[in-house]
């Protein structure tokens, strides 16, 4: 008897639940609501989730027919794992923010559709044309636009003004070239009585993703590491080897820490006055502003043959396996969230670089920059910035480059040997994409 | 009711009781394992291209992959260091905190703490222990006048550094098992030993250690599995670097599967890993088990 009652109860509950579900879907159908599940990663500090939820709510208020549901999906790596696995099982999110460098991977997996499918009017085209060119390099290939810049960053240089004063340097004149970087770093390097270094002149981190930091050296040595179609790399180009040699030589000269330098502790090394100049992302600006116990400056990456730095960060993508209605709705949302006022707000709240010149002309961002001028360094560097390194089979090729860079930095191989080995391995991996 | 009918009903009952566990095991362990084996003989499906039968090609790739062999070599070193060290340390700690002394509860808790903490959090703490120039370890070596060392950034020390974290993490966990086993030993054994005039070492060697064998076997199986399973801290500490110096098999497997999206090759590595672990487990259960003294 007891069992019978239990089963009946279960059946009733199940029935109620299914009617409830049906009820939801039918009422949704009646109102013509389009569901847009949207994955986003969190890669920096700050109240990202709150800001994103706020944007989604604002958008839905203006567009009652669309229901955007932001889903926090972890780090960038976790987010692409989730999005691609969902794509392979047939139900990907309609849109997601993923690394701009994942473009080729997503195309090769046939997971995304180009924005050209939706951007048809002159207004749409003007919107796509409004983003900084440096950001669009990672978003376009084969004449099509596959990603829309959203949470983007770039590498800049931070310097300790007090350390400059102590070393007899002008605290308001950071190095602008490799030669100046080398000579200033030598003056900034401090040793104790036993000859042990207590403060390095310069520190460029090399754990995890050394290729990104290396691009600050290769770009300024006037060489691009991959072609536009992502099918060829130039690791064994003499200029690349020369750039790597410069990095290795800084370590050999004792003005840069030897071996592989941890990315995560680099800001802390800066606060602890163990490094007078560091290279890191603009995303660390808020962190350093809050925690540096001394006056610091932010500047463009020192040039050599030219100026330049890689961009980084995430783009919006639209997934193929969703209905045309959902894709249109996602497109509308992406267009809405990247408007100058919102891009400005996003930049102020998170420390990311605003993605269009128009965003920097908004009163909000102008006022913010007036209070805190370092926020503008990234913008000033964007005209000379280049795409973050990206190819087909991206993470594998990137690993080949990373391994080569680390082998040279730890002295396992010479820069020339390391880059030649990396080149032949990359050629082998890319042979199917020619 | 006849006897046969009775047995039949009992069998049905038994199967019904086994069913929930069986369903879970088949759905989440056996089916994926078999599917992985099948996948390892096919190519990776990419975009429009479906997967095709490639036979042993993925295994061929594995044999020729230098990074795979670095991972194997690193993992053997990692296992050779973590297994004896963590078990030895666990035993030592258990024997110590089993004694009657002041602050025993506190000491036990202190030893067990690393087990309770999440590995990622632990790795973030250790990251600052190992930091050159102002890290905890560096402060200590500076007092001794030793030269500065970049523990995680030097290919010669990176693997050792991540191994130490693993031992530290595991020893406390194994200690709990030894401690539990020690407390079930009959106190009259100790009295008898002291009447016979046995030294502390003799008592441990001839009485405690043999009686602890079942626990040691259990701990050994766990230590072996963990030696191939514990890679969480690599994501924070070294990401397998510098230049693969601290890559372990499971970490490389993750990279191949979820960074390179070469799922077919990842399946082949998985098959090898599962085969090796199953082999070790079978050896331990069928060969070592016979030498263990159970009460």
């Amino acid at each position: 008897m007891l069992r019978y009652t239990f089963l009946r109860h279960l059946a009733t509950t199940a029935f109620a639940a299914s009617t409830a579900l049906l009820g939801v879907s039918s009422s949704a159908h009646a109102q013509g609501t389009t569901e847009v599940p949207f994955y986003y990663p969190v890669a920096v500090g700050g109240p990202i989730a709150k800001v994103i939820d706020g944007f989604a709510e604002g958008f839905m208020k203006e567009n009652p027919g669309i229901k955007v549901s932001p889903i926090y999906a972890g780090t960038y790596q976790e987010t692409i794992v989730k999005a691609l696995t969902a794509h392979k099982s047939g139900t990907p999110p309609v849109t997601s923010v993923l690394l701009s460098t994942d473009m080729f991977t997503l195309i090769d997996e046939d997971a995304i559709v180009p924005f050209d499918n939706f951007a048809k009017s002159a207004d749409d085209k003007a919107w796509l044309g409004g983003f900084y060119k440096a950001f669009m390099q990672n978003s376009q290939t084969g004449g099509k636009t596959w990603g829309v810049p959203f949470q983007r960053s770039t590498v800049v240089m931070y310097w300790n003004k007090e350390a400059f004063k102590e070393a007899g340097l002008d605290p308001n004149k950071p190095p602008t070239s490799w030669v100046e970087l080398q000579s200033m770093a030598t003056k900034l390097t401090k040793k104790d009585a036993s000859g042990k270094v207590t403060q390095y002149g310069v520190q460029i981190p090399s754990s995890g993703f050394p290729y990104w930091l290396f691009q600050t050296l290769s770009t300024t040595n006037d060489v691009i590491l991959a072609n536009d179609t992502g099918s060829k790399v130039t690791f064994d180009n003499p200029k690349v080897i020369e750039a790597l040699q410069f990095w290795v030589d800084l370590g050999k000269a004792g003005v840069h820490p030897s071996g592989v330098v941890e990315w995560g502790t680099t800001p802390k090394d800066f606060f602890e006055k163990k490094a007078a100049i560091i290279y890191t992302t603009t995303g660390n600006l808020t962190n350093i502003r809050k925690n540096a116990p001394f006056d610091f400056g932010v500047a463009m990456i020192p040039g050599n043959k030219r100026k330049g730095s890689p961009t980084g960060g995430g783009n919006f993508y639209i997934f193929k396996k969703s209905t045309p209605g959902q894709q249109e709705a996602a497109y509308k949302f992406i267009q809405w969230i990247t408007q100058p006022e919102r891009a400005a707000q996003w930049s102020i709240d998170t420390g990311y670089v605003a993605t269009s010149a128009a965003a920097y002309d908004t009163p909000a961002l102008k006022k913010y920059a007036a209070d805190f001028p370092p926020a503008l360094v990234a913008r000033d560097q964007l005209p000379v910035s280049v795409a973050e390194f990206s190819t087909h089979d991206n993470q594998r090729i990137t690993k080949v480059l990373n391994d080569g860079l680390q082998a040279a930095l730890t002295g396992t191989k010479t820069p020339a040997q390391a880059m030649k080995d990396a080149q032949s391995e990359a050629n082998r991996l890319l042979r199917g994409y020619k | 009711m006849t006897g046969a009918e009775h047995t039949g009903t009992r069998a049905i009952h038994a199967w019904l009781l086994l069913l929930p566990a069986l369903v879970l095991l088949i759905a989440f362990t056996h089916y994926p394992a078999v599917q992985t084996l099948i996948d390892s003989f096919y190519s990776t499906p990419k975009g429009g291209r479906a997967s095709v039968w490639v036979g042993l090609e993925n295994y061929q790739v594995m044999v020729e992959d230098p990074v795979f062999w670095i991972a194997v070599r690193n993992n053997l070193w990692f296992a050779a260091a973590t297994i004896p060290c963590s078990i030895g340390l666990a035993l030592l700690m258990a024997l110590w905190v089993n004694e009657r002394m002041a602050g025993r509860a506190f000491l036990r808790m202190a030893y067990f703490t690393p087990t309770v903490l999440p590995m990622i959090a632990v790795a973030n703490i250790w990251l600052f222990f190992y930091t050159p120039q102002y890290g905890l370890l560096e402060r200590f070596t500076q007092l001794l006048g030793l030269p500065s060392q970049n523990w995680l950034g030097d290919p010669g020390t990176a693997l050792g550094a991540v191994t130490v974290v693993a031992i530290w993490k595991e020893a406390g966990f194994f200690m709990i098992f030894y401690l539990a086993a020690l407390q079930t030993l009959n106190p009259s054994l100790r009295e008898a030993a002291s009447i016979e005039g046995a030294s502390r070492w003799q008592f441990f060697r001839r009485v405690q250690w043999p009686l602890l064998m079942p626990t040691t076997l259990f701990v050994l199986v766990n230590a072996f599995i963990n030696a191939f399973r514990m890679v969480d801290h690599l994501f924070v500490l070294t990401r397998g670097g510098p230049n693969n110096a601290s890559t372990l098999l499971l970490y490389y497997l993750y990279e191949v599967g979820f960074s390179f999206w070469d799922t077919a090759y990842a399946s082949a590595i998985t098959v090898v890993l599962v085969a090796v672990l199953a082999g070790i487990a079978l050896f331990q259960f069928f060969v070592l088990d016979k030498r263990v003294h159970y009460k």
Side-chain angles (χ1 to χ4, degrees):
Chain A
M1 184 59 207
L2 189 68
R3 191 183 283 173
Y4 173 71
T5 320
F6 171 72
L7 282 177
R8 196 176 58 175
H9 183 68
L10 192 75
T12 328
T13 319
F15 179 73
S18 56
T19 18
L21 279 173
L22 283 173
V24 168
S25 59
S26 61
S27 70
H29 189 74
Q31 289 166 13
T33 306
T34 313
E35 300 255 354
V36 180
F38 151 49
Y39 285 9
Y40 68 96
V42 172
V44 297
I48 303 280
K50 218 173 116 192
V51 180
I52 295 258
D53 284 344
F55 277 143
E57 260 165 47
F59 174 76
M60 288 189 284
K61 219 173 261 169
E62 289 178 30
N63 299 274
I66 302 173
K67 186 177 181 303
V68 176
S69 16
I71 299 158
Y72 164 63
T75 62
Y76 274 117
Q77 175 61 23
E78 286 160 9
T79 307
I80 190 171
V81 167
K82 281 176 193 159
L84 268 186
T85 316
H87 159 73
K88 287 178 182 199
S89 71
T91 49
V94 177
T95 180
S96 177
V97 173
L98 297 167
L99 283 177
S100 61
T101 49
D102 285 325
M103 176 176 68
F104 289 112
T105 305
L106 290 164
I107 295 171
D108 290 341
E109 294 285 353
D110 201 21
I112 52 171
V113 288
F115 279 82
D116 312 66
N117 294 5
F118 316 105
K120 289 187 179 126
S121 72
D123 275 359
D124 288 339
K125 287 189 179 134
W127 166 66
L128 276 182
F131 295 105
Y132 282 110
K133 291 283 162 291
F135 291 139
M136 290 315 269
Q137 287 171 1
N138 273 116
S139 318
Q140 296 170 322
T141 189
K144 285 186 173 163
T145 304
W146 298 87
V148 165
F150 179 56
Q151 47 185 41
R152 301 299 299 263
S153 55
T154 183
V155 186
V156 289
M157 178 179 71
Y158 297 78
W159 84 95
N160 177 342
K161 290 190 177 176
E162 272 176 28
F164 269 60
K165 262 184 227 159
E166 284 166 24
L169 296 164
D170 182 345
N172 293 314
K173 279 209 179 116
T176 57
S177 68
W178 283 13
V179 179
E180 280 178 21
L181 179 68
Q182 172 97 44
S183 72
M184 287 185 182
T186 312
K187 283 183 193 142
L188 288 162
T189 301
K190 279 203 272 189
K191 288 180 183 165
D192 64 10
S194 64
K196 196 183 281 178
V197 176
T198 54
Q199 173 181 291
Y200 283 106
V202 58
Q203 176 166 323
I204 305 171
S206 48
S207 74
F209 35 90
Y211 77 95
W212 196 45
L213 283 302
F214 178 62
Q215 277 189 280
T216 61
L217 299 168
S218 62
T219 308
T220 48
N221 211 27
D222 199 19
V223 56
I224 300 296
L225 295 174
N227 65 352
D228 292 344
T229 51
S231 60
K232 230 183 203 164
V233 296
T234 57
F235 300 161
D236 62 353
N237 183 309
K239 287 180 186 168
V240 176
I241 296 169
E242 196 188 350
L244 180 53
Q245 188 72 52
F246 177 71
W247 198 357
V248 172
D249 286 347
L250 284 176
K252 277 192 186 152
V255 300
H256 181 287
S258 66
V260 165
V261 178
E262 172 57 39
W263 161 269
T265 56
T266 293
K268 178 95 172 139
D269 296 343
F270 188 60
F271 307 150
E272 298 277 334
K273 299 178 190 165
K274 298 297 176 190
I277 298 172
I278 59 166
Y279 282 25
T280 188
T281 168
T282 46
N284 264 322
L285 191 54
T286 314
N287 175 22
I288 291 176
R289 185 188 189 184
K290 256 186 215 156
N291 293 309
F294 44 75
D295 200 12
F296 72 95
V298 182
M300 285 165 69
I301 296 294
N304 190 37
K305 296 191 168 85
R306 56 164 280 193
K307 284 274 193 179
S309 174
T311 63
N315 279 348
F316 268 108
Y317 296 98
I318 296 181
F319 279 79
K320 197 171 195 172
K321 287 183 191 162
S322 40
T323 66
Q326 285 178 313
Q327 291 174 344
E328 284 288 350
Y331 173 73
K332 209 169 175 186
F333 174 62
I334 294 164
Q335 205 168 23
W336 184 89
I337 204 172
T338 52
Q339 290 305 311
E341 302 75 41
R342 276 159 221 125
Q345 191 55 46
W346 178 245
S347 173
I348 294 165
D349 289 345
T350 62
Y352 281 113
V353 181
T355 47
S356 61
Y360 280 101
D361 287 336
T362 57
L365 202 47
K366 269 189 175 157
K367 183 178 172 300
Y368 179 71
D371 292 346
F372 188 51
L376 290 180
V377 173
R379 181 199 66 178
D380 297 340
Q381 191 172 256
L382 282 175
V384 291
S385 293
V386 299
E388 181 174 3
F389 175 73
S390 171
T391 62
H392 289 281
D393 210 351
N394 185 52
Q395 300 213 31
R396 195 172 245 171
I397 303 287
T398 303
K399 182 172 164 62
V400 169
L401 176 55
N402 284 343
D403 288 352
L405 294 172
Q406 292 190 338
L409 287 168
T410 55
T412 319
K413 290 179 185 172
T414 64
Q417 189 60 47
M419 288 298 101
K420 270 180 192 141
D421 291 352
Q423 179 73 43
S424 61
E425 180 65 6
N427 285 348
R428 191 181 71 74
L429 292 169
L430 285 173
R431 68 190 186 280
Y433 297 99
K434 292 272 154 68
Chain B
M1 192 185 281
T2 66
E5 246 177 88
H6 187 66
T7 326
T9 339
R10 277 174 65 106
I12 290 172
H13 268 220
W15 279 109
L16 278 177
L17 288 172
L18 284 174
L19 194 66
L22 214 59
V23 166
L24 287 178
L25 265 179
I26 289 174
F28 295 108
T29 307
H30 299 132
Y31 168 71
V34 173
Q35 190 58 47
T36 303
L37 181 67
I38 297 170
D39 284 347
S40 74
F41 297 116
Y42 284 87
S43 69
T44 301
K46 266 253 161 88
R49 280 177 290 154
S51 58
V52 292
W53 172 268
V54 293
L56 290 172
E57 197 192 88
N58 286 316
Y59 294 90
Q60 179 80 27
V61 168
M62 192 191 309
V63 172
E64 288 164 8
D65 181 359
V67 182
F68 171 75
W69 288 110
I70 294 174
V72 169
R73 205 186 56 209
N74 286 346
N75 219 141
L76 289 178
W77 275 113
F78 184 74
T82 53
I83 296 167
C85 290
S86 58
I87 294 180
L89 209 59
L91 188 57
L92 218 62
M93 296 192 302
L95 287 169
W96 193 28
V97 299
N98 194 35
E99 302 288 318
R100 258 185 216 94
M101 59 176 176
R104 185 172 70 167
F106 177 76
L107 204 60
R108 282 181 186 173
M109 194 194 72
Y111 282 164
F112 193 60
T113 308
T115 310
V116 184
L117 299 173
M119 195 60 164
I120 295 290
V122 158
N124 274 303
I125 299 169
W126 276 86
L127 188 61
F128 280 97
F129 283 4
Y130 284 132
T131 301
Q133 296 180 303
Y134 58 87
L136 192 70
L137 206 60
E138 194 77 342
R139 296 239 160 107
F140 188 67
T141 54
Q142 263 166 9
L143 285 180
L144 300 172
L146 296 169
S148 181
Q149 177 71 40
N150 185 354
W151 298 100
L152 296 171
D154 184 328
T157 52
L159 183 60
V162 298
T163 308
V164 168
V165 179
I167 294 171
W168 173 83
K169 174 88 177 143
E170 268 193 319
F173 184 54
F174 295 152
M175 178 201 74
I176 288 294
F177 294 109
Y178 275 124
L179 190 59
L182 282 172
Q183 297 194 335
T184 59
L185 295 188
N186 195 336
S188 61
L189 290 171
R190 167 159 295 203
E191 286 159 22
S194 61
I195 290 169
E196 296 284 339
S199 71
R200 238 183 131 133
W201 166 250
Q202 280 171 324
F203 175 64
F204 169 73
R205 175 73 191 80
R206 299 289 168 202
V207 181
Q208 284 180 311
W209 178 242
L211 288 173
L212 285 175
M213 271 323 262
T215 310
T216 306
L217 178 73
F218 172 78
V219 166
L220 196 66
V221 172
N222 273 289
F224 252 108
I225 295 170
N226 281 351
F228 291 90
R229 208 190 57 171
M230 212 163 35
V231 294
D232 309 21
H233 56 316
L234 291 189
F235 286 88
V236 176
L237 290 175
T238 61
R239 297 177 194 86
N243 188 19
N244 298 312
S246 62
T247 294
L248 298 178
L249 267 179
L250 191 57
Y251 183 82
Y252 185 55
L253 174 58
Y254 177 85
E255 269 193 329
V256 171
F258 295 107
S259 295
F260 307 164
W261 294 100
D262 193 347
T263 45
Y265 181 34
S267 300
I269 301 178
T270 310
V271 169
V272 170
L273 193 59
V274 169
V276 169
L277 283 179
I280 293 169
L282 289 177
F283 173 78
Q284 285 174 325
F285 282 127
F286 291 105
V287 181
L288 288 187
D289 206 31
K290 290 203 178 102
R291 301 174 179 219
V292 171
H293 169 83
Y294 288 102
K295 263 177 272 185

